[in-house]
Amino acid sequence: MTTPVAIVGAGLGGLALARVLHVHGIPATVYEADPSAETRTQGGQLDIHPNDGQAALEAAGLTDEFRAIIHEGGAASRALDQHGKVLLDEPDDGNGIRPEVLRGDLRRILIDSLPAGTIRWGKKLTGVAALGDGRHELTFADGSTVGTELLVGADGAWSKVRPLLSDATPEYTGTTFIETYLYDADERHPATAEAVGDGAMYALTPGKGIVAHREAGNILHTYVELNRSAEWIAAIDFTDATAAAARVAAEFDGWAPELTALITDGETAPVPRMIHALPDGHRWDRVPGVTLLGDAGHLMPPSGDGANLAMFDGAELGNAIAAHPDDIEAALTAYEEALFPRSTSAAADAREILELCLGDRAPFGLIDFMTGAAPQDTDTSRAR
Ligand SMILES: Cc1cc2nc3c(=O)[nH]c(=O)nc-3n(C[C@H](O)[C@H](O)[C@H](O)COP(=O)(O)OP(=O)(O)OC[C@H]3O[C@@H](n4cnc5c(N)ncnc54)[C@H](O)[C@@H]3O)c2cc1C
């Protein structure tokens, strides 16, 4: 069997590409490792930026659907010191420039916008063979194979498509985010809910911090951010949730209890997310019939832009293919010429934001950034 356009990965980037192609009347097939859309919780709230995420959704013809899932009020942000003292408090000004949505809701509107059968669930790519003339044969974990004329790796950080284009592999940045959740926050954790406020809360010191976000549904979603070696993280047994939470909380000894409760009172086991990144400026020479988008092409530290960039890549690639219907190589060249400088610049911003959050000046680097005291962009929403 041959499919003209094969997209590997039904994350936000791959789905945005499939949808924009569909808008242009170009069929594509998305191969996703997860067995179904519901397999994993798609937790986390994302702020969607006008210049990339919102532009992508507009190209996808989904602006109304996106507006319908916005979490009103969620764009407030505040900075606290480790004793819970408020250093900065910025309410959601309601201007809706960078609205917050749940990642799962966003993924759902993209999935629902595709013709039935576009996404093949339970198709984990395990191998790719070049067939010549830009064609490839994909092999999946279930033993099935498919031929393709255009292969797009939208398969995230540990892309199986990337090696066709590049030898680069993601490296640990030295920072780990440990994720926890508190549910029914106003009723069950009122002091902590009060400390977090209506949107994002940053309590940062050099090398460590607690960043929490109030999500739709009265949920407090936390990333405990620690600059620690991979060995230090590996020594924590995260299968023992209570012990792991206590070990992480010990790093915050003396901090306000309403803040450390975000670690110790979580209703789910803490999940470590070791932050990896591809080299800044990652790029590749043109290889016929294959390209990358999103994290597969430019994995960078979280700065609140990765999902936006992935969707934008998808939309840009879809538009480029539509603009060169008879010349895939021209489409890929045009797409990559814009992709490389865009992602190089975003990666530099992402590393700078991580440094503002956890560097020597914490928390004041970030506060200056949030208030515009620093010369650069004042987009506080990107500080995640
Ligand atoms: C802790 C943390 C917080 C973040 N916070 C934000 C934020 O607030 N805002 C923001 O914009 N970004 C944020 N990001 C970044 C964002 O999550 C990513 O940049 C974004 O998800 C990338 O989208 P993608 O479509 O490229 O890849 P992914 O979302 O990783 O999707 C890849 C898809 O490919 C599938 N897949 C993988 N391998 C295979 C295979 N072999 N075969 C078939 N399918 C496969 C996966 O199952 C997945 O569905 C954060 C990242 C982290 C780690």
Side-chain angles (χ1 to χ4, degrees), residues 8-14 31-34 40 45-46 103 107 123-125 154-157 160 177 223 273 275 293-296 302 304-308 310 384:
V8 180
L12 294 174
Y31 296 93
E32 166 58 47
D34 286 348
R40 273 184 296 143
Q45 202 155 277
L46 304 169
R103 182 192 289 260
R107 191 171 188 240
K123 290 288 181 186
K124 181 174 184 179
L125 182 73
D155 48 346
K160 282 271 187 303
F177 287 11
Y223 290 121
R273 309 231 178 254
I275 304 300
L293 63 75
D295 282 2
D305 213 9
N308 286 273
R384 261 184 302 131

Side-chain angles (χ1 to χ4, degrees), residues 13 152-153 165 278 280-286 290-300 306 308-317 320 331-347:
V152 180
L165 295 159
L278 284 165
D280 291 0
H282 179 235
R283 54 181 299 148
W284 52 88
D285 294 331
R286 182 88 296 289
V290 58
T291 193
L292 304 173
L293 63 75
D295 282 2
H298 48 69
L299 181 68
M300 58 188 76
N308 286 273
L309 287 171
M311 286 193 293
F312 191 69
D313 290 354
E316 289 288 277
L317 179 54
L332 299 186
T333 300
Y335 161 71
E336 289 173 355
E337 273 176 4
L339 171 77
F340 294 141
R342 180 168 75 238
S343 42
T344 299
S345 154

Side-chain angles (χ1 to χ4, degrees), residues 78-85 87 195-196 200-212 222-225 252 255-256 258-260 262 357-358 362-364 366-367 370:
R78 59 169 56 168
L80 307 183
D81 73 7
Q82 64 264 49
H83 307 299
K85 184 178 154 204
L87 303 174
V196 172
M201 184 283 297
Y202 303 88
L204 301 165
T205 59
K208 64 185 174 191
I210 301 175
V211 176
T222 301
Y223 290 121
V224 182
E225 304 187 0
F252 296 86
W255 284 45
E258 62 271 27
L259 295 178
T260 53
L262 289 161
C357 288
L358 298 178
F364 298 103
L366 181 66
I367 289 173
M370 290 166 93

Side-chain angles (χ1 to χ4, degrees), residues 12 48 57 69 102-110 311:
L12 294 174
I48 304 303
L57 290 164
I69 60 167
L102 286 171
R103 182 192 289 260
D105 289 348
L106 190 54
R107 191 171 188 240
R108 181 178 43 74
I109 61 174
L110 284 160
M311 286 193 293

